[in-house]
Amino acid sequence: MKVFQRIEVWVLLLLSAGAAWYVLKPSGDRDKPWLVQNQTAATGEATSLRRMILERDHGNGRLDLELRYTNNHPKTIQLVPPWAVLKTSEGREVPAFFLPIEPPPSLPAKTTADIRLRFWLDPADFKTALTLELDGTRIPIKAAGIFDVGQLENSRPTELSGPEWKINK
């Protein structure tokens, strides 16, 4: 039997090879590091908050802060305490959220980059003001007042805008 002389077999082999290549090829989004270097930014650029994403987990929540940060120090820094701390208005430190497979965010010396910091919010954290402290720079994250986390769908990321935590739709 001459299987490889049939055109249908070759078409199926080519389609299978193409599908395997598509599934296994490096994806641009998956291969991007958690910390993306911005080659064109000036090193004197100020720290700025880009996005806030809150994902409700019943009464708690995971807060993802995406910001642009400049490391003006002569060495690489890891953006973990004491460099990066989210504090309540009472001075309590909000614990960072991490996955064992994700390294802590770090930033090479004299560079500017977009970074993502993650924090785990307890129910009490939704009732107080939150401030992010990055090496002495303070960024208001949430204004004082109660935020009803119950208005969010469970396990669904929601983008927030401003310290008043208005929901972007």
Side-chain angles (χ1 to χ4, degrees), residues 28-29 31-41 67-69 105-108 111-116:
D29 291 337
D31 291 344
K32 288 182 184 174
W34 193 27
L35 186 64
V36 180
Q37 292 274 344
N38 184 346
Q39 302 294 335
T40 60
L67 40 99
R68 166 111 358 135
Y69 184 70
S106 61
L107 190 60
T111 58
T112 299
D114 294 330
I115 58 170
R116 178 179 58 187

Side-chain angles (χ1 to χ4, degrees), residues 62-119:
R62 187 188 76 213
L63 179 63
D64 292 351
L65 302 175
E66 296 176 7
L67 40 99
R68 166 111 358 135
Y69 184 70
T70 301
N71 177 9
N72 290 320
H73 297 280
K75 63 180 184 173
T76 299
I77 59 170
Q78 283 193 336
L79 294 165
V80 295
W83 286 94
V85 179
L86 183 65
K87 288 188 176 180
T88 64
S89 56
E90 292 85 30
R92 185 180 69 81
E93 188 175 314
V94 176
F97 178 85
F98 67 92
L99 296 172
I101 58 173
E102 286 183 352
S106 61
L107 190 60
K110 304 292 185 189
T111 58
T112 299
D114 294 330
I115 58 170
R116 178 179 58 187
L117 301 175
R118 292 179 153 181
F119 298 95

Side-chain angles (χ1 to χ4, degrees), residues 12-67:
L12 285 174
L13 283 173
L14 287 173
L15 287 174
S16 298
W21 175 81
Y22 179 76
V23 169
L24 298 174
K25 75 177 173 109
S27 169
D29 291 337
R30 283 189 298 222
D31 291 344
K32 288 182 184 174
W34 193 27
L35 186 64
V36 180
Q37 292 274 344
N38 184 346
Q39 302 294 335
T40 60
T43 57
E45 183 176 327
T47 301
S48 61
L49 183 62
R50 302 289 187 181
R51 288 176 52 185
M52 291 188 291
I53 299 170
L54 179 63
E55 185 173 331
R56 176 182 167 212
D57 185 9
H58 303 288
N60 301 315
R62 187 188 76 213
L63 179 63
D64 292 351
L65 302 175
E66 296 176 7
L67 40 99

Side-chain angles (χ1 to χ4, degrees), residues 147-168:
F147 178 77
D148 181 19
V149 72
Q151 67 183 331
L152 303 178
E153 189 176 332
N154 201 38
S155 298
R156 183 175 182 165
T158 304
E159 188 171 346
L160 305 170
S161 64
E164 296 80 28
W165 281 25
K166 295 179 182 171
I167 299 173
N168 291 342

